[in-house]
Amino acid sequence: MTFRLLSAAVLAGAMVLPAHAAEPMNDLEIAHTAYTAGQLDIRYAHLALAVSENADVRSFAETMIRDHSAVNSAAVDLITELNVTPQDNDLSRALVQGAADKRAELMGLSGSAFDCAYAQNELGYHQVVNKTVEESFIPAVTVAPLKELLTDALATFKVHEGHAEQMVSNLQCS
Amino acid sequence: MQLTRRQLIAAGGLAAAAAALPAAASPAVRVRIRKFAFDPDTVSIKAGERIEWVNEDFAPHTATEDDYSWDTGELGKGSTASVLFETPGTHSYYCAYHPHMKARIVVTA
Ligand SMILES: [Cu+2]
């Protein structure tokens, strides 16, 4: 497995991925990366709740916090049960850095400029993460309960992607 | 929808309403919430029966009547809540968190 999927899509968001990204990821790295992706979306959502005055954007953000928290708490339960420690890795670090950059950009915006940038980022972020989870993580994972968790999580994230698409189109951003 | 009087039991947060219902006296028809859908999405029951929802997704959901005349409140994974339907009529409901999730209950005499 490679980071090709993620790196290609992430370039648009100015996320720089490490050059040597072709090493296969193990279960613990995948678990850590999926968890990180959820936590980052929760942070975006908290920012949206702090800045946005748009009811649809706020309700979307609340749903992101609620759903990603639920999925990640299930992940923590599983990790605890399996008694393993998820591993930081190049991809999860790249995600963290990319999100920090994006948050910095979003923090400079307000009103509909913020709403549009947040909504478009949510759409792009879910598209990229979903593609990676579906095409790279799920096929690569070896532990059955983790595969199951990722599969359920993907179903949730796909609904979010659909909502984000709707939100972008409702906001009528240029 | 004012034609129905209902009582509500929810697993969490609605203890006061739960206390009002005589301990699971009436039969319950189960609706599963899974993969962001109500299953089955249309249920027919007789007046005096209950519907019990169980959420099998990680994402929390609700079953909320379109006119807000009843609402299960938030259902986390594995949680259940039930509503008693005493009067014939048709109820459309949805998930307040994921509004594309829609379903119907038909209560007959
Ligand atoms: Cu829902």
Side-chain angles (χ1 to χ4, degrees), chain A residues 50-62:
Chain A
V51 175
S52 180
E53 288 170 8
N54 180 293
D56 289 344
V57 169
R58 297 183 65 83
S59 118
F60 178 89
E62 279 163 2

Side-chain angles (χ1 to χ4, degrees), chain A residues 45-128:
Chain A
H46 281 296
L47 179 59
L49 290 178
V51 175
S52 180
E53 288 170 8
N54 180 293
D56 289 344
V57 169
R58 297 183 65 83
S59 118
F60 178 89
E62 279 163 2
T63 296
M64 292 309 104
I65 293 171
R66 196 186 301 113
D67 289 1
H68 284 290
S69 299
V71 168
N72 274 2
S73 107
V76 168
D77 290 350
L78 179 60
I79 293 302
T80 307
E81 190 188 315
L82 298 174
N83 195 20
V84 293
T85 308
Q87 288 168 5
D88 204 2
N89 58 85
D90 287 348
L91 181 55
S92 66
R93 281 188 290 268
L95 279 174
V96 168
Q97 184 56 52
D101 295 346
K102 189 46 127 179
R103 278 198 309 273
E105 181 191 325
L106 289 171
M107 277 189 270
L109 303 171
S110 60
S112 67
F114 174 90
D115 293 337
C116 286
Y118 170 72
Q120 275 155 355
N121 184 57
E122 282 301 296
L123 177 56
Y125 187 75
H126 280 91
Q127 283 169 339
V128 170

Side-chain angles (χ1 to χ4, degrees), chain A residues 63 66-67 159 163, chain B residues 33 36-38 55 57 59-63 75 94-101:
Chain A
T63 296
R66 196 186 301 113
D67 289 1
V159 170
H163 280 196
Chain B
I33 309 176
F36 288 80
F38 296 101
N55 178 20
D57 283 340
H61 296 295
T62 76
L75 297 174
Y94 69 108
C95 169
Y97 300 155
H98 310 101
H100 70 284
M101 297 170 59

